[in-house]
Amino acid sequence: MRLLPIIAGILFLGTYSCKTKPTTPVNDQVVEDSSSNLLMQLNDPHSYSKPSECKVSHLDLDVTIDFDHEILVATAKWHLAPHKGNKVIFDTKGLEIEKVRCSDNKTCKYQLGSNDPMMGSALSIDISPETKYVSITYKTKPEAEALMWLQPEQTMGKTQPFMFTQSQAILARTWIPCQDGPGVRFTYNARVKTPKGLLAAMSATNPTTLNDSNIYHFEMKQPIPSYLMALVCGNLQFRSVGSRTGVYAEPELIDAAEYELGKMQTMLEKAEALYGPYLWERYDVVFLPPSFPFGGMENPRLTFATPTIITGDRSLTALIAHEMAHSWSGNLVTNATWNDFWLNEGFTVYFEQRIMEAVYGRDYSEMLALLSYQGLLDELEDFEKDSLINDTRLKLDLEGRNPDDAVSAIAYDKGYLFLRMLEENYGRTAFDAFLKQYFSDNAFKVMTTEKFVDYLNKNLLDTDKELAAKCKVEEWIYGTGLPANCPIIKSEKLAKIDQYINEYFLQANMDIGQIDTTGWTAHEYIYFVANLPQSIGREQMAVVDQYFHFTQSSNAEILGKWFQTAANHQYQQAYGAMEDFLISVGRRKFLTPIYKALCQTPEGWELAQKIYTKARPNYHAVSRKTIENLLEKTQPHSVAQHKGGNG
Ligand code: BES
Ligand code: ZN
């Protein structure tokens, strides 16, 4: 399932002093946030680190990228905030620690704890209150989950290798020993050595051209949490798109990339006009090979993006608005624990929608909203079927579960609808002023759901308590499903598609040639494919395909939905193209529904298994895990027995 998950309890952060009482139990420490003078509790079950005892403040990272061995050889020098304790603890997973030095001793003692399959091992280093920094020399392993190493033939250019990282949610520890929870922020500098001819870029200040030394320097002056640490290295070119915006891509893709992101500078300006200044100076995007497991990742200053949004018509660039919006919701105001993930994603979807409305108009943004709403309804149904109704709450309790397993539409789209409900009740002017103030009051801090509710009460709801009661905030956040006051999304353009679907498929009173597609945007086509009736048969799919040519579409969203329907109805004519798609694209959002649809029958499961074997080298660890779990869960009885019989 695409259940995301994680953490429990109320984590916290900010710049607090290390004044905890030594007697306080580890997972229940009260610390003072010096920025707000609030007393807060720390509890992050997905990190071994104890930031309330000793917390990092800055990282100097030195990395050599070794493509031959598919490893990073590195030293992480961590500067420590003032502390009284005698230990600093880092999260690590699969790192080979070579040595540890401290500022006051040449080498210092450390222990590496036992390995947990989800959490990794705690690296505990003995320090004194005088210790200013610790310096850890280490190597990663080729199977480090955050890292994806690609052979030249897996890239567009086919001549140079490529590597990238994906740290969210708890994978930063597989390439950097770090205090790996969203509640700990630090600044960083890095020095990265690459093979000749390959450019490196990070979530930091970035080079735009190759140099002769093959050494690149990076600086991130604003404090960020570890899940936003990012590194990419490949045959990359840079193109400026606007005064503060640009794009990196392989040379073969750079023209198309530049065109696709032509509205990015406008998006940034509209975003600032809505919710205040962009505080990260530049906003650039790097297009990765199609193996990237997500659509986009909001690494500060440098969003990592899938090339599957490059269509030639800018129709899928809402994803860029989304990652850009994270520069406020997520990167500035950060979810305190992964239980509060909706604070990152729900606010971001709301902000994304507002950017799209400002750039393309309300009709357009309502089409996007309606498409997402349908996705949410589908997922709600799945949650109910799988008896996972508790996962339909905005505030989650994910203790003991892996946050990387999945991300659900609840955080994104129920979160969005909640904020839209507030906007519709209090009016756009008041709600926009509230949000702008929220981002500025809480910049570079973490937010718990509870602290947000408190802030919302004081700064918006209390202005009209009668209205507040009607909004049912508690039900939205702590209740399951969608409350009755859920906003209604209206799209005339998509209503027209419903009409065609009804008349052509259900009433059967028109010919396919009478479906007039003049003026349809990609979203009308996506909606059409997503809403093909369950009753559609293979013959009818062939007729539709002949008219619309969906099997040959160059739009990945259309392909994703079409292949899902093809697999549901065993429409074999699309299977060749579907297999090519599944082998070349590693984006989990597309893979999961298609594999799921295939796995409904024993023959489909066999095919899925065969395709997965071919595709696996092109999938990142995050996607591999999801698909392997799915194949295992849906394995037909006879196959399971057969395998068991063979030992
Ligand atoms: N931060 C997320 C991706 C993510 C979430 C990675 C959880 C690991 C764990 C990113 O901003 C995101 O939401 N991406 C979406 C974009 C879409 C909603 C426009 C994606 O990848 O599909
Ligand atoms: Zn997001």
Side-chain angles (χ1 to χ4, degrees):
M1 261 251 68
R2 21 203 178 189
L3 253 240
L4 179 269
I6 247 200
I7 318 192
I10 325 151
L11 181 293
F12 234 65
L13 72 27
T15 41
Y16 51 75
S17 60
C18 287
K19 281 188 220 144
T20 41
K21 295 187 201 104
T23 48
T24 317
V26 170
N27 266 340
D28 192 22
Q29 295 150 354
V30 178
V31 294
E32 191 175 330
D33 178 339
S34 59
S35 58
S36 65
N37 281 328
L38 277 178
L39 286 180
M40 298 175 201
Q41 278 201 311
L42 271 182
N43 180 11
D44 186 345
H46 287 87
S47 174
Y48 289 114
S49 68
K50 296 175 188 166
S52 57
E53 292 184 9
C54 185
K55 178 174 114 46
V56 299
S57 59
H58 176 83
L59 168 66
D60 287 314
L61 184 67
D62 188 303
V63 182
T64 299
I65 305 177
D66 179 347
F67 277 97
D68 292 336
H69 299 97
E70 300 192 338
I71 60 169
L72 302 178
V73 180
T75 298
K77 177 172 168 185
W78 283 107
H79 297 257
L80 309 176
H83 55 275
K84 292 196 170 147
N86 53 13
K87 262 191 196 327
V88 56
I89 302 174
F90 297 93
D91 295 294
T92 74
K93 194 173 177 193
L95 300 180
E96 264 178 46
I97 309 290
E98 193 184 298
K99 64 174 184 239
V100 179
R101 288 168 164 256
C102 297
S103 52
D104 31 11
N105 288 307
K106 280 209 156 55
T107 53
C108 48
K109 274 207 193 145
Y110 68 90
Q111 303 88 41
L112 204 53
S114 60
N115 182 54
D116 175 90
M118 177 172 80
M119 301 265 293
S121 339
L123 170 67
S124 173
I125 303 174
D126 294 352
I127 54 167
S128 73
E130 286 71 48
T131 307
K132 298 275 180 296
Y133 65 81
V134 297
S135 187
I136 307 159
T137 301
Y138 66 97
K139 281 181 189 158
T140 60
K141 294 217 177 102
E143 55 277 10
E145 287 156 90
L147 306 179
M148 178 112 203
W149 300 91
L150 295 169
Q151 298 299 318
E153 46 296 0
Q154 292 171 294
T155 66
M156 264 205 116
K158 315 273 179 224
T159 57
Q160 306 265 33
F162 198 103
M163 71 82 59
F164 65 84
T165 63
Q166 169 56 40
S167 298
Q168 195 182 7
I170 54 167
L171 300 179
R173 65 190 70 179
T174 71
W175 69 286
I176 306 172
C178 57
Q179 297 192 320
D180 201 9
V184 180
R185 297 180 98 89
F186 53 88
T187 52
Y188 78 88
N189 291 336
R191 173 188 185 272
V192 176
K193 186 158 180 8
T194 69
K196 195 171 163 46
L198 297 189
L199 193 70
M202 294 189 80
S203 49
T205 53
N206 276 310
T208 54
T209 51
L210 289 174
N211 66 34
D212 292 334
S213 68
N214 307 315
I215 292 172
Y216 298 90
H217 293 274
F218 304 88
E219 185 184 25
M220 172 41 81
K221 285 189 295 218
Q222 292 89 341
I224 61 164
S226 57
Y227 80 89
L228 296 175
M229 287 299 298
L231 170 66
V232 54
C233 179
N235 182 16
L236 290 171
Q237 270 184 12
F238 174 78
R239 283 278 170 82
S240 171
V241 170
S243 58
R244 284 180 291 159
T245 49
V247 61
Y248 293 82
E250 285 190 67
E252 294 74 12
L253 198 65
I254 195 76
D255 287 337
E258 180 188 359
Y259 176 77
E260 208 72 30
L261 302 189
K263 286 263 199 276
M264 193 157 68
Q265 177 82 21
T266 311
M267 285 181 179
L268 188 60
E269 285 158 13
K270 298 283 186 193
E272 289 186 303
L274 280 164
Y275 300 124
Y278 178 75
L279 296 179
W280 308 87
E281 295 159 32
R282 285 199 60 86
Y283 181 79
D284 296 316
V285 171
V286 58
F287 281 108
L288 305 179
S291 299
F292 185 52
F294 296 105
M297 177 64 215
E298 66 271 27
N299 298 314
R301 296 182 70 117
L302 184 65
T303 282
F304 283 19
T306 173
T308 60
I309 62 158
I310 300 181
T311 55
D313 62 7
R314 299 180 179 169
S315 59
L316 303 181
T317 51
L319 184 131
I320 299 299
H322 178 96
E323 305 312 334
M324 182 185 279
H326 271 305
S327 310
W328 287 259
S329 42
N331 299 4
L332 267 193
V333 186
T334 307
N335 52 204
T337 75
W338 299 115
N339 279 334
D340 306 300
F341 182 60
W342 78 276
L343 292 176
N344 272 20
E345 297 299 345
F347 279 67
T348 296
V349 173
Y350 179 83
F351 196 165
E352 163 199 348
Q353 278 289 125
R354 296 296 304 276
I355 296 172
M356 293 311 280
E357 183 184 325
V359 179
Y360 292 100
R362 179 84 175 177
D363 280 358
Y364 190 94
S365 63
E366 281 297 88
M367 286 203 282
L368 300 176
L370 191 55
L371 278 162
S372 305
Y373 177 69
Q374 287 199 331
L376 173 64
L377 295 184
D378 289 348
E379 286 201 31
L380 279 168
E381 221 175 90
D382 289 352
F383 279 125
E384 248 167 69
K385 261 195 244 147
D386 299 345
S387 308
L388 289 169
I389 197 73
N390 281 340
D391 288 331
T392 67
R393 301 172 200 272
L394 285 178
K395 166 85 184 189
L396 294 173
D397 177 8
L398 302 163
E399 182 156 14
R401 292 164 71 182
N402 191 332
D404 286 325
D405 273 353
V407 178
S408 94
I410 300 300
Y412 289 78
D413 301 311
K414 183 178 172 183
Y416 160 71
L417 290 165
F418 167 60
L419 297 175
R420 178 166 164 164
M421 180 278 297
L422 291 174
E423 178 212 309
E424 289 180 1
N425 276 293
Y426 280 83
R428 198 167 254 202
T429 311
F431 190 65
D432 280 355
F434 164 77
L435 266 191
K436 193 172 177 178
Q437 194 63 40
Y438 169 74
F439 291 131
S440 105
D441 285 349
N442 298 291
F444 300 107
K445 294 187 191 167
V446 292
M447 187 58 65
T448 60
T449 298
E450 294 72 18
K451 196 175 159 202
F452 166 71
V453 173
D454 192 46
Y455 187 92
L456 178 68
N457 279 325
K458 289 201 180 98
N459 295 282
L460 186 72
L461 302 187
D462 287 355
T463 59
D464 185 340
K465 291 196 172 163
E466 220 172 287
L467 189 56
K470 287 193 200 131
C471 288
K472 303 197 182 337
V473 168
E474 301 277 317
E475 186 186 335
W476 271 94
I477 294 178
Y478 301 108
T480 59
L482 277 182
N485 64 343
C486 183
I488 294 162
I489 301 160
K490 283 208 193 91
S491 165
E492 273 173 34
K493 291 191 167 179
L494 297 185
K496 183 91 195 110
I497 309 297
D498 281 332
Q499 226 174 321
Y500 278 131
I501 290 174
N502 183 40
E503 285 182 29
Y504 175 68
F505 292 102
L506 306 175
Q507 312 294 327
N509 63 6
M510 68 186 284
D511 192 71
I512 192 143
Q514 289 172 276
I515 300 180
D516 182 6
T517 59
T518 318
W520 281 23
T521 65
H523 300 99
E524 274 110 339
Y525 288 103
I526 296 168
Y527 187 83
F528 183 83
V529 180
N531 287 283
L532 289 171
Q534 288 288 333
S535 59
I536 194 170
R538 266 165 258 170
E539 295 77 46
Q540 216 166 15
M541 281 195 75
V543 175
V544 169
D545 206 7
Q546 210 170 10
Y547 186 64
F548 288 98
H549 308 292
F550 288 138
T551 302
Q552 279 80 45
S553 173
S554 51
N555 185 304
E557 293 284 342
I558 294 178
L559 289 177
K561 296 260 185 280
W562 179 246
F563 293 144
Q564 186 184 349
T565 312
N568 271 328
H569 298 280
Q570 290 105 49
Y571 172 61
Q572 311 267 346
Q573 276 151 271
Y575 275 25
M578 178 182 72
E579 180 165 338
D580 292 347
F581 183 77
L582 291 175
I583 289 173
S584 60
V585 174
R587 188 174 167 191
R588 192 169 56 171
K589 166 184 149 172
F590 294 138
L591 303 181
T592 311
I594 302 174
Y595 275 102
K596 245 189 181 173
L598 279 174
C599 289
Q600 292 171 119
T601 65
E603 309 75 56
W605 187 92
E606 291 287 354
L607 177 63
Q609 176 70 54
K610 208 181 90 201
I611 295 174
Y612 177 67
T613 308
K614 289 192 217 164
R616 191 176 182 276
N618 292 337
Y619 294 173
H620 183 272
V622 162
S623 294
R624 285 182 191 173
K625 206 162 84 191
T626 304
I627 303 306
E628 279 167 21
N629 285 344
L630 176 65
L631 286 167
E632 202 185 302
K633 218 174 71 186
T634 55
Q635 190 166 20
H637 208 48
S638 56
V639 180
Q641 274 177 350
H642 182 68
K643 281 209 167 156
N646 285 336

